[in-house]
Amino acid sequence: MQTANTLDMLRTLTATLRKDGSTLGLVPTMGALHKGHLTLIKAARDACDHVVASIFVNPTQFGPNEDLDAYPRQLEEDSAMLEAEGCSLLWAPTVEAMYPQGFASSIAVSGVSANFCGASRPGHFDGVATVVCKLFNQVQPDMAFFGEKDFQQLAVIRTMARDLDLTAPRVEAIIGVPTVRESDGLAMSSRNRYLSSEDRAAAATLPAAMREAIARIADGTEVRQTLRGLEDALLGAGFSQVDYAQLADATSLEPLEVLGSKDARLLVAAKIGGTRLIDNMAVNPA
Ligand code: AMP
């Protein structure tokens, strides 16, 4: 596996990989890799001739009081994991390479980014959309792979790609990969390492309470009442704050009061021991 730290180097190396008509799959990450990320690498490897992974802790998607400085950085370890997974190229730019002096542009995707993490983390999705658009332009992948773990992020990226003509033939496909979970159901996340052992044990309440809420909604219990019960279960288990626990249309991400005939998603963000966890699960139509 080769590593590019400058845009010139990236362009040279991607041109070499593409020389014989080979396809490139892009997996954008912020590093601190775990099995969830590696599943995206595997999906890209299965679908494309070469995998390009990026590691960039993107400052513009962090709010002023968020964990940008504390976010785990372990490039050497990540690099070894990517190489072992069959990744061909690692794009690891510096902040200055991504946002040179005078950088003045931003992409805002309205609608799908309005609620949920868009409401509780103002500016977050502008930062995500802008950096992913840059990554698409820099790497020019045939396919790009994102986790359903960040379901709203996936919707924002799909919308941006459609609206700004970044889709086929430029990026042939944007692939959503199902969430990889720990054995107790907690969605894998680079932020799980912030949890104390007590909070880590309590964090498993999140997926368990979500499953229970989904079963209740499927049984016809009122959505609002069920979601209130879900919030109470989290607060009772040691979560300090629930940013949101909502049912939404799986495509538009419009909040839903009742489960209709279209695919829905249960989306939750909650804090435990100062760490903000997010999760989402499919809710089948009534
Ligand atoms: P991050 O490094 O957290 O920005 O995540 C990079 C990519 O990995 C994003 O597309 C995430 O949605 C995806 N990802 C993170 N955690 C998981 C997981 N547990 N299962 C599947 N994909 C994940």
Side-chain angles (χ1 to χ4, degrees), residues 28-31 34 36-37 40 71 145-150 153 177-180 187-190:
T29 82
M30 298 204 300
H34 50 68
H37 296 113
L40 299 189
Y71 200 85
F145 297 78
F146 296 89
E148 288 185 352
K149 158 77 169 40
D150 299 278
Q153 168 174 286
V177 178
T179 301
V180 179
M188 290 191 183
S189 163
S190 306

Side-chain angles (χ1 to χ4, degrees), residues 55-135:
I55 295 183
F56 181 62
V57 183
N58 176 33
T60 66
Q61 70 187 70
F62 287 77
N65 298 315
E66 294 184 356
D67 57 344
L68 173 62
D69 292 336
Y71 200 85
R73 288 158 171 93
Q74 46 169 58
L75 196 61
E76 258 181 51
E77 203 177 322
D78 288 346
S79 184
M81 287 165 86
L82 291 172
E83 179 145 36
E85 212 58 45
C87 188
S88 298
L89 175 59
L90 168 59
W91 170 219
T94 59
V95 173
E96 293 70 33
M98 279 304 237
Y99 301 112
Q101 189 119 41
F103 188 92
S105 304
S106 178
I107 294 174
V109 181
S110 59
V112 284
S113 69
N115 297 302
F116 315 117
C117 286
S120 47
R121 302 182 70 188
H124 170 68
F125 286 121
D126 294 1
V128 169
T130 305
V131 82
V132 170
C133 182
K134 281 173 70 72
L135 289 168

Side-chain angles (χ1 to χ4, degrees), residues 16 39 43 47 58 91 108 161 165 178 199 233 268 280:
T16 308
T39 302
N58 176 33
W91 170 219
D165 307 314
D199 289 340
V268 182
N280 69 86

Side-chain angles (χ1 to χ4, degrees), residues 7 30 33 35 39 78 112 116 132 138-139 162 186 188 195 215 226 230 246 250 262 267 275 282:
L7 197 47
M30 298 204 300
L33 302 180
K35 278 192 207 145
T39 302
D78 288 346
V112 284
F116 315 117
V132 170
Q138 292 166 341
V139 176
R162 183 201 65 198
L186 182 66
M188 290 191 183
L195 298 169
T226 306
L230 169 54
Q246 291 220 311
K262 293 203 280 184
L267 300 139
T275 300

